[in-house]
């Protein structure tokens, strides 16, 4: 058993769900065998036929994002299942700075995601840079109906922190998600 | 998807699931070519665990 595996076991024990196990296995692979991690991500790009296109190819040098949201909290939650994390240079680099380096950083990033991205978006605005988490804007009116509560735009991340968990089917980020069309077969 | 449903069903505080995207079945088939029971699995979870399932096109319990 590696030191990292021992640390994860000591912190989270044997009560992990399959998804959390997958997540921590991938986290360990990223740090313990970078080449193998890159190969795994590149194989996913191959599966979708997007290896040659940098816009669609999955990023193999960023940590995976399986789950975000305060799922340890026992209050009522709604899960959003998405395809994969969107990659935006300005935002993704800042996220990576927060989550990299240790089990605690990564775990904190997952649980406090909506609070952290709210801070990142504020920093970006202060720097007059043009990047935001527009993906989550489309969820605000929808969540509002589900919880029967108005959600002001400037408070949306507070409400998301309270209610939302986002799970990505493919945990590797890309600028856009698009698979290449299947080859036409002649009949 | 198996691990995602494991997560959802073990967290009893989850009241609903929103699929954010319109091409899920196509993507799932590409990822899991041997699995053809996704719809049944979803139905089972919906009934057994009283999880409401939604899409972004509107509230929809499958």
């Amino acid at each position: 058993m590696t030191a990292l595996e021992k640390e994860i076991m000591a912190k989270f024990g044997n009560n992990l769900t399959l998804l959390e196990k997958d997540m921590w296995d991938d986290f360990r692979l990223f740090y313990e065998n970078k080449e193998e991690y890159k190969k795994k991500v590149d194989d996913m790009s191959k599966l979708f036929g997007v290896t040659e296109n940098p816009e669609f190819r999955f990023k193999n040098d960023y940590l995976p994002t399986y789950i975000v949201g305060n799922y340890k909290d026992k209050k009522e939650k709604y899960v959003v299942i998405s395809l994969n994390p969107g990659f935006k240079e300005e935002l993704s680099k800042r996220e990576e700075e927060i989550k990299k380096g240790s089990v605690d950083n990564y775990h904190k990033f997952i649980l406090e995601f909506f609070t952290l991205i709210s801070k990142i978006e504020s920093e970006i605005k202060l720097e007059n840079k043009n990047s935001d988490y527009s993906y989550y804007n489309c969820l605000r009116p929808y969540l509002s109906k589900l919880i029967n509560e108005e959600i002001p735009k400037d408070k949306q991340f507070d409400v998301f922190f309270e209610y939302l968990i986002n799970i990505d089917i493919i945990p590797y980020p890309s600028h856009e998600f698009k698979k290449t069309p299947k080859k036409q077969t002649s009949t | 998807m198996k691990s995602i449903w494991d997560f959802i069903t073990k967290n009893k505080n989850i009241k609903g699931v929103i699929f954010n995207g319109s091409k899920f079945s196509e993507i799932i088939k590409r990822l899991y070519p041997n699995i053809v029971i996704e719809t049944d699995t979803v139905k089972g979870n919906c009934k057994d665990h009283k999880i409401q399932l939604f899409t972004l096109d509107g509230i929809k319990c499958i």
Side-chain angles (χ1 to χ4, degrees), chain A residues 18 22 47 73 75 77 79-81 135 142 169 179, chain B residues 6 13 15-18 20 24 26 30 54-55:
Chain A
L18 295 176
D22 289 348
L47 182 68
D73 173 39
K75 290 180 192 165
K77 302 287 178 203
V79 170
V80 178
I81 299 182
Y135 161 75
Y142 198 76
I169 287 185
K179 66 180 182 60
Chain B
D6 177 68
N13 53 329
K15 301 295 177 200
V17 180
I18 300 163
N20 189 13
F24 267 98
E26 196 184 341
R30 181 74 71 102
F54 306 98
T55 74

mmCIF file with all atom_site columns, all heavy atoms in Angstrom, chain A residues 18 22 47 73 75 77 79-81 135 142 169 179, chain B residues 6 13 15-18 20 24 26 30 54-55:
data_model
loop_
_atom_site.group_PDB
_atom_site.id
_atom_site.type_symbol
_atom_site.label_atom_id
_atom_site.label_alt_id
_atom_site.label_comp_id
_atom_site.label_asym_id
_atom_site.label_entity_id
_atom_site.label_seq_id
_atom_site.pdbx_PDB_ins_code
_atom_site.Cartn_x
_atom_site.Cartn_y
_atom_site.Cartn_z
_atom_site.occupancy
_atom_site.B_iso_or_equiv
_atom_site.pdbx_formal_charge
_atom_site.auth_seq_id
_atom_site.auth_comp_id
_atom_site.auth_asym_id
_atom_site.auth_atom_id
_atom_site.pdbx_PDB_model_num
ATOM 1   N N   . LEU A 1 18  ? -18.730 3.678  -4.439  1.00 0.00 ? 18  LEU A N   1
ATOM 2   C CA  . LEU A 1 18  ? -17.921 3.292  -5.610  1.00 0.00 ? 18  LEU A CA  1
ATOM 3   C C   . LEU A 1 18  ? -17.385 4.521  -6.337  1.00 0.00 ? 18  LEU A C   1
ATOM 4   O O   . LEU A 1 18  ? -16.247 4.533  -6.813  1.00 0.00 ? 18  LEU A O   1
ATOM 5   C CB  . LEU A 1 18  ? -18.771 2.460  -6.588  1.00 0.00 ? 18  LEU A CB  1
ATOM 6   C CG  . LEU A 1 18  ? -19.248 1.102  -6.099  1.00 0.00 ? 18  LEU A CG  1
ATOM 7   C CD1 . LEU A 1 18  ? -20.151 0.450  -7.150  1.00 0.00 ? 18  LEU A CD1 1
ATOM 8   C CD2 . LEU A 1 18  ? -18.067 0.189  -5.773  1.00 0.00 ? 18  LEU A CD2 1
ATOM 9   N N   . ASP A 1 22  ? -13.520 5.417  -7.066  1.00 0.00 ? 22  ASP A N   1
ATOM 10  C CA  . ASP A 1 22  ? -12.994 5.738  -8.411  1.00 0.00 ? 22  ASP A CA  1
ATOM 11  C C   . ASP A 1 22  ? -12.235 7.058  -8.379  1.00 0.00 ? 22  ASP A C   1
ATOM 12  O O   . ASP A 1 22  ? -11.164 7.204  -8.972  1.00 0.00 ? 22  ASP A O   1
ATOM 13  C CB  . ASP A 1 22  ? -14.144 5.863  -9.425  1.00 0.00 ? 22  ASP A CB  1
ATOM 14  C CG  . ASP A 1 22  ? -14.781 4.521  -9.754  1.00 0.00 ? 22  ASP A CG  1
ATOM 15  O OD1 . ASP A 1 22  ? -14.200 3.489  -9.381  1.00 0.00 ? 22  ASP A OD1 1
ATOM 16  O OD2 . ASP A 1 22  ? -15.858 4.523  -10.378 1.00 0.00 ? 22  ASP A OD2 1
ATOM 17  N N   . LEU A 1 47  ? -11.501 7.068  -27.476 1.00 0.00 ? 47  LEU A N   1
ATOM 18  C CA  . LEU A 1 47  ? -12.824 6.448  -27.496 1.00 0.00 ? 47  LEU A CA  1
ATOM 19  C C   . LEU A 1 47  ? -13.849 7.342  -28.191 1.00 0.00 ? 47  LEU A C   1
ATOM 20  O O   . LEU A 1 47  ? -14.749 6.870  -28.884 1.00 0.00 ? 47  LEU A O   1
ATOM 21  C CB  . LEU A 1 47  ? -13.267 6.153  -26.054 1.00 0.00 ? 47  LEU A CB  1
ATOM 22  C CG  . LEU A 1 47  ? -14.611 5.469  -25.853 1.00 0.00 ? 47  LEU A CG  1
ATOM 23  C CD1 . LEU A 1 47  ? -14.570 4.035  -26.359 1.00 0.00 ? 47  LEU A CD1 1
ATOM 24  C CD2 . LEU A 1 47  ? -15.002 5.485  -24.390 1.00 0.00 ? 47  LEU A CD2 1
ATOM 25  N N   . ASP A 1 73  ? -22.919 17.039 3.834   1.00 0.00 ? 73  ASP A N   1
ATOM 26  C CA  . ASP A 1 73  ? -24.002 17.695 4.551   1.00 0.00 ? 73  ASP A CA  1
ATOM 27  C C   . ASP A 1 73  ? -25.277 16.868 4.385   1.00 0.00 ? 73  ASP A C   1
ATOM 28  O O   . ASP A 1 73  ? -25.541 16.349 3.303   1.00 0.00 ? 73  ASP A O   1
ATOM 29  C CB  . ASP A 1 73  ? -24.172 19.097 3.940   1.00 0.00 ? 73  ASP A CB  1
ATOM 30  C CG  . ASP A 1 73  ? -25.376 19.808 4.486   1.00 0.00 ? 73  ASP A CG  1
ATOM 31  O OD1 . ASP A 1 73  ? -25.637 19.669 5.686   1.00 0.00 ? 73  ASP A OD1 1
ATOM 32  O OD2 . ASP A 1 73  ? -26.062 20.482 3.708   1.00 0.00 ? 73  ASP A OD2 1
ATOM 33  N N   . LYS A 1 75  ? -28.433 17.750 4.609   1.00 0.00 ? 75  LYS A N   1
ATOM 34  C CA  . LYS A 1 75  ? -29.662 18.426 4.181   1.00 0.00 ? 75  LYS A CA  1
ATOM 35  C C   . LYS A 1 75  ? -30.063 17.947 2.787   1.00 0.00 ? 75  LYS A C   1
ATOM 36  O O   . LYS A 1 75  ? -29.261 17.362 2.067   1.00 0.00 ? 75  LYS A O   1
ATOM 37  C CB  . LYS A 1 75  ? -29.430 19.935 4.156   1.00 0.00 ? 75  LYS A CB  1
ATOM 38  C CG  . LYS A 1 75  ? -29.286 20.562 5.531   1.00 0.00 ? 75  LYS A CG  1
ATOM 39  C CD  . LYS A 1 75  ? -29.050 22.051 5.369   1.00 0.00 ? 75  LYS A CD  1
ATOM 40  C CE  . LYS A 1 75  ? -28.603 22.674 6.679   1.00 0.00 ? 75  LYS A CE  1
ATOM 41  N NZ  . LYS A 1 75  ? -28.034 24.003 6.475   1.00 0.00 ? 75  LYS A NZ  1
ATOM 42  N N   . LYS A 1 77  ? -30.645 17.498 -1.012  1.00 0.00 ? 77  LYS A N   1
ATOM 43  C CA  . LYS A 1 77  ? -29.749 17.839 -2.138  1.00 0.00 ? 77  LYS A CA  1
ATOM 44  C C   . LYS A 1 77  ? -30.355 17.420 -3.473  1.00 0.00 ? 77  LYS A C   1
ATOM 45  O O   . LYS A 1 77  ? -31.150 16.498 -3.542  1.00 0.00 ? 77  LYS A O   1
ATOM 46  C CB  . LYS A 1 77  ? -28.403 17.099 -2.003  1.00 0.00 ? 77  LYS A CB  1
ATOM 47  C CG  . LYS A 1 77  ? -27.636 17.365 -0.739  1.00 0.00 ? 77  LYS A CG  1
ATOM 48  C CD  . LYS A 1 77  ? -27.016 18.734 -0.735  1.00 0.00 ? 77  LYS A CD  1
ATOM 49  C CE  . LYS A 1 77  ? -26.309 18.957 0.595   1.00 0.00 ? 77  LYS A CE  1
ATOM 50  N NZ  . LYS A 1 77  ? -26.143 20.343 0.935   1.00 0.00 ? 77  LYS A NZ  1
ATOM 51  N N   . VAL A 1 79  ? -28.913 16.361 -7.371  1.00 0.00 ? 79  VAL A N   1
ATOM 52  C CA  . VAL A 1 79  ? -27.706 16.010 -8.128  1.00 0.00 ? 79  VAL A CA  1
ATOM 53  C C   . VAL A 1 79  ? -27.879 16.421 -9.588  1.00 0.00 ? 79  VAL A C   1
ATOM 54  O O   . VAL A 1 79  ? -28.905 16.121 -10.195 1.00 0.00 ? 79  VAL A O   1
ATOM 55  C CB  . VAL A 1 79  ? -27.437 14.491 -8.065  1.00 0.00 ? 79  VAL A CB  1
ATOM 56  C CG1 . VAL A 1 79  ? -26.331 14.088 -9.031  1.00 0.00 ? 79  VAL A CG1 1
ATOM 57  C CG2 . VAL A 1 79  ? -27.054 14.085 -6.655  1.00 0.00 ? 79  VAL A CG2 1
ATOM 58  N N   . VAL A 1 80  ? -26.895 17.112 -10.109 1.00 0.00 ? 80  VAL A N   1
ATOM 59  C CA  . VAL A 1 80  ? -26.861 17.396 -11.540 1.00 0.00 ? 80  VAL A CA  1
ATOM 60  C C   . VAL A 1 80  ? -25.824 16.458 -12.155 1.00 0.00 ? 80  VAL A C   1
ATOM 61  O O   . VAL A 1 80  ? -24.679 16.417 -11.705 1.00 0.00 ? 80  VAL A O   1
ATOM 62  C CB  . VAL A 1 80  ? -26.438 18.853 -11.824 1.00 0.00 ? 80  VAL A CB  1
ATOM 63  C CG1 . VAL A 1 80  ? -26.375 19.105 -13.336 1.00 0.00 ? 80  VAL A CG1 1
ATOM 64  C CG2 . VAL A 1 80  ? -27.406 19.824 -11.178 1.00 0.00 ? 80  VAL A CG2 1
ATOM 65  N N   . ILE A 1 81  ? -26.249 15.685 -13.141 1.00 0.00 ? 81  ILE A N   1
ATOM 66  C CA  . ILE A 1 81  ? -25.300 14.809 -13.838 1.00 0.00 ? 81  ILE A CA  1
ATOM 67  C C   . ILE A 1 81  ? -24.947 15.453 -15.167 1.00 0.00 ? 81  ILE A C   1
ATOM 68  O O   . ILE A 1 81  ? -25.827 15.749 -15.986 1.00 0.00 ? 81  ILE A O   1
ATOM 69  C CB  . ILE A 1 81  ? -25.890 13.400 -14.052 1.00 0.00 ? 81  ILE A CB  1
ATOM 70  C CG1 . ILE A 1 81  ? -26.193 12.778 -12.682 1.00 0.00 ? 81  ILE A CG1 1
ATOM 71  C CG2 . ILE A 1 81  ? -24.903 12.516 -14.816 1.00 0.00 ? 81  ILE A CG2 1
ATOM 72  C CD1 . ILE A 1 81  ? -26.735 11.366 -12.743 1.00 0.00 ? 81  ILE A CD1 1
ATOM 73  N N   . TYR A 1 135 ? -22.135 28.159 -17.129 1.00 0.00 ? 135 TYR A N   1
ATOM 74  C CA  . TYR A 1 135 ? -22.810 26.859 -17.083 1.00 0.00 ? 135 TYR A CA  1
ATOM 75  C C   . TYR A 1 135 ? -23.821 26.816 -15.936 1.00 0.00 ? 135 TYR A C   1
ATOM 76  O O   . TYR A 1 135 ? -24.922 26.281 -16.076 1.00 0.00 ? 135 TYR A O   1
ATOM 77  C CB  . TYR A 1 135 ? -21.757 25.752 -16.920 1.00 0.00 ? 135 TYR A CB  1
ATOM 78  C CG  . TYR A 1 135 ? -22.277 24.432 -16.404 1.00 0.00 ? 135 TYR A CG  1
ATOM 79  C CD1 . TYR A 1 135 ? -23.008 23.576 -17.233 1.00 0.00 ? 135 TYR A CD1 1
ATOM 80  C CD2 . TYR A 1 135 ? -22.032 24.026 -15.096 1.00 0.00 ? 135 TYR A CD2 1
ATOM 81  C CE1 . TYR A 1 135 ? -23.481 22.361 -16.763 1.00 0.00 ? 135 TYR A CE1 1
ATOM 82  C CE2 . TYR A 1 135 ? -22.502 22.819 -14.620 1.00 0.00 ? 135 TYR A CE2 1
ATOM 83  C CZ  . TYR A 1 135 ? -23.223 21.991 -15.449 1.00 0.00 ? 135 TYR A CZ  1
ATOM 84  O OH  . TYR A 1 135 ? -23.692 20.793 -14.976 1.00 0.00 ? 135 TYR A OH  1
ATOM 85  N N   . TYR A 1 142 ? -33.957 26.779 -12.725 1.00 0.00 ? 142 TYR A N   1
ATOM 86  C CA  . TYR A 1 142 ? -34.450 25.416 -12.592 1.00 0.00 ? 142 TYR A CA  1
ATOM 87  C C   . TYR A 1 142 ? -34.455 24.977 -11.128 1.00 0.00 ? 142 TYR A C   1
ATOM 88  O O   . TYR A 1 142 ? -35.452 24.461 -10.609 1.00 0.00 ? 142 TYR A O   1
ATOM 89  C CB  . TYR A 1 142 ? -33.573 24.487 -13.433 1.00 0.00 ? 142 TYR A CB  1
ATOM 90  C CG  . TYR A 1 142 ? -34.228 23.182 -13.693 1.00 0.00 ? 142 TYR A CG  1
ATOM 91  C CD1 . TYR A 1 142 ? -35.240 23.075 -14.637 1.00 0.00 ? 142 TYR A CD1 1
ATOM 92  C CD2 . TYR A 1 142 ? -33.861 22.060 -12.976 1.00 0.00 ? 142 TYR A CD2 1
ATOM 93  C CE1 . TYR A 1 142 ? -35.874 21.874 -14.854 1.00 0.00 ? 142 TYR A CE1 1
ATOM 94  C CE2 . TYR A 1 142 ? -34.485 20.860 -13.195 1.00 0.00 ? 142 TYR A CE2 1
ATOM 95  C CZ  . TYR A 1 142 ? -35.489 20.762 -14.130 1.00 0.00 ? 142 TYR A CZ  1
ATOM 96  O OH  . TYR A 1 142 ? -36.116 19.564 -14.335 1.00 0.00 ? 142 TYR A OH  1
ATOM 97  N N   . ILE A 1 169 ? -19.958 12.475 -15.686 1.00 0.00 ? 169 ILE A N   1
ATOM 98  C CA  . ILE A 1 169 ? -19.793 11.085 -16.136 1.00 0.00 ? 169 ILE A CA  1
ATOM 99  C C   . ILE A 1 169 ? -18.340 10.849 -16.544 1.00 0.00 ? 169 ILE A C   1
ATOM 100 O O   . ILE A 1 169 ? -17.755 9.824  -16.231 1.00 0.00 ? 169 ILE A O   1
ATOM 101 C CB  . ILE A 1 169 ? -20.737 10.797 -17.319 1.00 0.00 ? 169 ILE A CB  1
ATOM 102 C CG1 . ILE A 1 169 ? -22.162 10.687 -16.805 1.00 0.00 ? 169 ILE A CG1 1
ATOM 103 C CG2 . ILE A 1 169 ? -20.358 9.501  -18.027 1.00 0.00 ? 169 ILE A CG2 1
ATOM 104 C CD1 . ILE A 1 169 ? -23.153 10.281 -17.864 1.00 0.00 ? 169 ILE A CD1 1
ATOM 105 N N   . LYS A 1 179 ? -18.183 14.462 -29.720 1.00 0.00 ? 179 LYS A N   1
ATOM 106 C CA  . LYS A 1 179 ? -17.553 13.271 -30.266 1.00 0.00 ? 179 LYS A CA  1
ATOM 107 C C   . LYS A 1 179 ? -17.618 13.358 -31.787 1.00 0.00 ? 179 LYS A C   1
ATOM 108 O O   . LYS A 1 179 ? -18.508 13.996 -32.342 1.00 0.00 ? 179 LYS A O   1
ATOM 109 C CB  . LYS A 1 179 ? -18.225 12.001 -29.765 1.00 0.00 ? 179 LYS A CB  1
ATOM 110 C CG  . LYS A 1 179 ? -19.653 11.826 -30.234 1.00 0.00 ? 179 LYS A CG  1
ATOM 111 C CD  . LYS A 1 179 ? -20.213 10.546 -29.692 1.00 0.00 ? 179 LYS A CD  1
ATOM 112 C CE  . LYS A 1 179 ? -21.630 10.328 -30.188 1.00 0.00 ? 179 LYS A CE  1
ATOM 113 N NZ  . LYS A 1 179 ? -21.740 10.259 -31.645 1.00 0.00 ? 179 LYS A NZ  1
ATOM 114 N N   . ASP B 2 6   ? -24.674 4.150  -7.428  1.00 0.00 ? 6   ASP B N   1
ATOM 115 C CA  . ASP B 2 6   ? -24.296 3.697  -6.087  1.00 0.00 ? 6   ASP B CA  1
ATOM 116 C C   . ASP B 2 6   ? -24.200 4.902  -5.147  1.00 0.00 ? 6   ASP B C   1
ATOM 117 O O   . ASP B 2 6   ? -24.715 4.885  -4.035  1.00 0.00 ? 6   ASP B O   1
ATOM 118 C CB  . ASP B 2 6   ? -22.942 2.975  -6.176  1.00 0.00 ? 6   ASP B CB  1
ATOM 119 C CG  . ASP B 2 6   ? -22.425 2.540  -4.820  1.00 0.00 ? 6   ASP B CG  1
ATOM 120 O OD1 . ASP B 2 6   ? -23.039 1.649  -4.225  1.00 0.00 ? 6   ASP B OD1 1
ATOM 121 O OD2 . ASP B 2 6   ? -21.417 3.104  -4.346  1.00 0.00 ? 6   ASP B OD2 1
ATOM 122 N N   . ASN B 2 13  ? -30.164 11.684 1.388   1.00 0.00 ? 13  ASN B N   1
ATOM 123 C CA  . ASN B 2 13  ? -30.646 13.069 1.381   1.00 0.00 ? 13  ASN B CA  1
ATOM 124 C C   . ASN B 2 13  ? -30.853 13.606 -0.031  1.00 0.00 ? 13  ASN B C   1
ATOM 125 O O   . ASN B 2 13  ? -31.330 14.712 -0.211  1.00 0.00 ? 13  ASN B O   1
ATOM 126 C CB  . ASN B 2 13  ? -29.688 13.975 2.153   1.00 0.00 ? 13  ASN B CB  1
ATOM 127 C CG  . ASN B 2 13  ? -28.262 13.855 1.663   1.00 0.00 ? 13  ASN B CG  1
ATOM 128 O OD1 . ASN B 2 13  ? -27.856 12.799 1.197   1.00 0.00 ? 13  ASN B OD1 1
ATOM 129 N ND2 . ASN B 2 13  ? -27.502 14.928 1.747   1.00 0.00 ? 13  ASN B ND2 1
ATOM 130 N N   . LYS B 2 15  ? -32.681 14.270 -3.226  1.00 0.00 ? 15  LYS B N   1
ATOM 131 C CA  . LYS B 2 15  ? -34.115 14.305 -3.531  1.00 0.00 ? 15  LYS B CA  1
ATOM 132 C C   . LYS B 2 15  ? -34.406 14.263 -5.023  1.00 0.00 ? 15  LYS B C   1
ATOM 133 O O   . LYS B 2 15  ? -35.538 14.046 -5.430  1.00 0.00 ? 15  LYS B O   1
ATOM 134 C CB  . LYS B 2 15  ? -34.745 15.590 -2.954  1.00 0.00 ? 15  LYS B CB  1
ATOM 135 C CG  . LYS B 2 15  ? -34.601 15.739 -1.465  1.00 0.00 ? 15  LYS B CG  1
ATOM 136 C CD  . LYS B 2 15  ? -35.358 14.649 -0.731  1.00 0.00 ? 15  LYS B CD  1
ATOM 137 C CE  . LYS B 2 15  ? -35.155 14.770 0.771   1.00 0.00 ? 15  LYS B CE  1
ATOM 138 N NZ  . LYS B 2 15  ? -35.455 13.519 1.456   1.00 0.00 ? 15  LYS B NZ  1
ATOM 139 N N   . GLY B 2 16  ? -33.421 14.536 -5.819  1.00 0.00 ? 16  GLY B N   1
ATOM 140 C CA  . GLY B 2 16  ? -33.673 14.539 -7.257  1.00 0.00 ? 16  GLY B CA  1
ATOM 141 C C   . GLY B 2 16  ? -32.394 14.523 -8.056  1.00 0.00 ? 16  GLY B C   1
ATOM 142 O O   . GLY B 2 16  ? -31.326 14.856 -7.542  1.00 0.00 ? 16  GLY B O   1
ATOM 143 N N   . VAL B 2 17  ? -32.535 14.112 -9.293  1.00 0.00 ? 17  VAL B N   1
ATOM 144 C CA  . VAL B 2 17  ? -31.380 14.039 -10.187 1.00 0.00 ? 17  VAL B CA  1
ATOM 145 C C   . VAL B 2 17  ? -31.716 14.797 -11.462 1.00 0.00 ? 17  VAL B C   1
ATOM 146 O O   . VAL B 2 17  ? -32.777 14.591 -12.055 1.00 0.00 ? 17  VAL B O   1
ATOM 147 C CB  . VAL B 2 17  ? -31.033 12.581 -10.529 1.00 0.00 ? 17  VAL B CB  1
ATOM 148 C CG1 . VAL B 2 17  ? -29.827 12.509 -11.456 1.00 0.00 ? 17  VAL B CG1 1
ATOM 149 C CG2 . VAL B 2 17  ? -30.758 11.786 -9.264  1.00 0.00 ? 17  VAL B CG2 1
ATOM 150 N N   . ILE B 2 18  ? -30.838 15.668 -11.852 1.00 0.00 ? 18  ILE B N   1
ATOM 151 C CA  . ILE B 2 18  ? -31.035 16.457 -13.063 1.00 0.00 ? 18  ILE B CA  1
ATOM 152 C C   . ILE B 2 18  ? -29.993 16.015 -14.081 1.00 0.00 ? 18  ILE B C   1
ATOM 153 O O   . ILE B 2 18  ? -28.790 16.058 -13.801 1.00 0.00 ? 18  ILE B O   1
ATOM 154 C CB  . ILE B 2 18  ? -30.833 17.964 -12.764 1.00 0.00 ? 18  ILE B CB  1
ATOM 155 C CG1 . ILE B 2 18  ? -31.832 18.440 -11.713 1.00 0.00 ? 18  ILE B CG1 1
ATOM 156 C CG2 . ILE B 2 18  ? -30.944 18.778 -14.054 1.00 0.00 ? 18  ILE B CG2 1
ATOM 157 C CD1 . ILE B 2 18  ? -31.457 19.772 -11.072 1.00 0.00 ? 18  ILE B CD1 1
ATOM 158 N N   . ASN B 2 20  ? -28.101 17.025 -17.123 1.00 0.00 ? 20  ASN B N   1
ATOM 159 C CA  . ASN B 2 20  ? -27.841 18.270 -17.836 1.00 0.00 ? 20  ASN B CA  1
ATOM 160 C C   . ASN B 2 20  ? -27.200 17.958 -19.190 1.00 0.00 ? 20  ASN B C   1
ATOM 161 O O   . ASN B 2 20  ? -25.990 17.954 -19.338 1.00 0.00 ? 20  ASN B O   1
ATOM 162 C CB  . ASN B 2 20  ? -26.930 19.165 -16.998 1.00 0.00 ? 20  ASN B CB  1
ATOM 163 C CG  . ASN B 2 20  ? -26.821 20.542 -17.598 1.00 0.00 ? 20  ASN B CG  1
ATOM 164 O OD1 . ASN B 2 20  ? -27.585 20.911 -18.475 1.00 0.00 ? 20  ASN B OD1 1
ATOM 165 N ND2 . ASN B 2 20  ? -25.860 21.316 -17.121 1.00 0.00 ? 20  ASN B ND2 1
ATOM 166 N N   . PHE B 2 24  ? -27.428 12.001 -23.485 1.00 0.00 ? 24  PHE B N   1
ATOM 167 C CA  . PHE B 2 24  ? -26.919 11.048 -22.507 1.00 0.00 ? 24  PHE B CA  1
ATOM 168 C C   . PHE B 2 24  ? -26.946 9.604  -22.971 1.00 0.00 ? 24  PHE B C   1
ATOM 169 O O   . PHE B 2 24  ? -25.988 8.871  -22.806 1.00 0.00 ? 24  PHE B O   1
ATOM 170 C CB  . PHE B 2 24  ? -27.659 11.190 -21.183 1.00 0.00 ? 24  PHE B CB  1
ATOM 171 C CG  . PHE B 2 24  ? -26.955 12.109 -20.263 1.00 0.00 ? 24  PHE B CG  1
ATOM 172 C CD1 . PHE B 2 24  ? -27.332 13.417 -20.150 1.00 0.00 ? 24  PHE B CD1 1
ATOM 173 C CD2 . PHE B 2 24  ? -25.859 11.671 -19.540 1.00 0.00 ? 24  PHE B CD2 1
ATOM 174 C CE1 . PHE B 2 24  ? -26.646 14.284 -19.334 1.00 0.00 ? 24  PHE B CE1 1
ATOM 175 C CE2 . PHE B 2 24  ? -25.172 12.524 -18.722 1.00 0.00 ? 24  PHE B CE2 1
ATOM 176 C CZ  . PHE B 2 24  ? -25.569 13.843 -18.619 1.00 0.00 ? 24  PHE B CZ  1
ATOM 177 N N   . GLU B 2 26  ? -26.825 8.352  -25.867 1.00 0.00 ? 26  GLU B N   1
ATOM 178 C CA  . GLU B 2 26  ? -25.815 8.119  -26.896 1.00 0.00 ? 26  GLU B CA  1
ATOM 179 C C   . GLU B 2 26  ? -24.422 7.998  -26.266 1.00 0.00 ? 26  GLU B C   1
ATOM 180 O O   . GLU B 2 26  ? -23.640 7.121  -26.601 1.00 0.00 ? 26  GLU B O   1
ATOM 181 C CB  . GLU B 2 26  ? -25.849 9.313  -27.856 1.00 0.00 ? 26  GLU B CB  1
ATOM 182 C CG  . GLU B 2 26  ? -25.163 9.071  -29.166 1.00 0.00 ? 26  GLU B CG  1
ATOM 183 C CD  . GLU B 2 26  ? -25.157 10.335 -30.017 1.00 0.00 ? 26  GLU B CD  1
ATOM 184 O OE1 . GLU B 2 26  ? -25.971 11.240 -29.748 1.00 0.00 ? 26  GLU B OE1 1
ATOM 185 O OE2 . GLU B 2 26  ? -24.319 10.399 -30.896 1.00 0.00 ? 26  GLU B OE2 1
ATOM 186 N N   . ARG B 2 30  ? -21.790 4.688  -25.791 1.00 0.00 ? 30  ARG B N   1
ATOM 187 C CA  . ARG B 2 30  ? -20.400 4.694  -26.243 1.00 0.00 ? 30  ARG B CA  1
ATOM 188 C C   . ARG B 2 30  ? -19.470 4.253  -25.093 1.00 0.00 ? 30  ARG B C   1
ATOM 189 O O   . ARG B 2 30  ? -18.520 3.517  -25.293 1.00 0.00 ? 30  ARG B O   1
ATOM 190 C CB  . ARG B 2 30  ? -20.045 6.110  -26.720 1.00 0.00 ? 30  ARG B CB  1
ATOM 191 C CG  . ARG B 2 30  ? -18.634 6.281  -27.250 1.00 0.00 ? 30  ARG B CG  1
ATOM 192 C CD  . ARG B 2 30  ? -18.429 5.669  -28.624 1.00 0.00 ? 30  ARG B CD  1
ATOM 193 N NE  . ARG B 2 30  ? -19.090 6.391  -29.683 1.00 0.00 ? 30  ARG B NE  1
ATOM 194 C CZ  . ARG B 2 30  ? -18.470 7.226  -30.532 1.00 0.00 ? 30  ARG B CZ  1
ATOM 195 N NH1 . ARG B 2 30  ? -17.181 7.431  -30.425 1.00 0.00 ? 30  ARG B NH1 1
ATOM 196 N NH2 . ARG B 2 30  ? -19.142 7.827  -31.479 1.00 0.00 ? 30  ARG B NH2 1
ATOM 197 N N   . PHE B 2 54  ? -35.126 14.255 -13.211 1.00 0.00 ? 54  PHE B N   1
ATOM 198 C CA  . PHE B 2 54  ? -35.507 15.417 -13.996 1.00 0.00 ? 54  PHE B CA  1
ATOM 199 C C   . PHE B 2 54  ? -34.602 15.572 -15.210 1.00 0.00 ? 54  PHE B C   1
ATOM 200 O O   . PHE B 2 54  ? -33.464 15.111 -15.214 1.00 0.00 ? 54  PHE B O   1
ATOM 201 C CB  . PHE B 2 54  ? -35.340 16.692 -13.164 1.00 0.00 ? 54  PHE B CB  1
ATOM 202 C CG  . PHE B 2 54  ? -36.058 16.655 -11.860 1.00 0.00 ? 54  PHE B CG  1
ATOM 203 C CD1 . PHE B 2 54  ? -35.384 16.335 -10.694 1.00 0.00 ? 54  PHE B CD1 1
ATOM 204 C CD2 . PHE B 2 54  ? -37.404 16.947 -11.791 1.00 0.00 ? 54  PHE B CD2 1
ATOM 205 C CE1 . PHE B 2 54  ? -36.033 16.295 -9.480  1.00 0.00 ? 54  PHE B CE1 1
ATOM 206 C CE2 . PHE B 2 54  ? -38.067 16.908 -10.583 1.00 0.00 ? 54  PHE B CE2 1
ATOM 207 C CZ  . PHE B 2 54  ? -37.385 16.588 -9.423  1.00 0.00 ? 54  PHE B CZ  1
ATOM 208 N N   . THR B 2 55  ? -35.104 16.224 -16.194 1.00 0.00 ? 55  THR B N   1
ATOM 209 C CA  . THR B 2 55  ? -34.231 16.682 -17.271 1.00 0.00 ? 55  THR B CA  1
ATOM 210 C C   . THR B 2 55  ? -34.351 18.194 -17.315 1.00 0.00 ? 55  THR B C   1
ATOM 211 O O   . THR B 2 55  ? -35.271 18.776 -16.741 1.00 0.00 ? 55  THR B O   1
ATOM 212 C CB  . THR B 2 55  ? -34.644 16.124 -18.646 1.00 0.00 ? 55  THR B CB  1
ATOM 213 O OG1 . THR B 2 55  ? -35.817 16.818 -19.055 1.00 0.00 ? 55  THR B OG1 1
ATOM 214 C CG2 . THR B 2 55  ? -34.883 14.648 -18.603 1.00 0.00 ? 55  THR B CG2 1
#
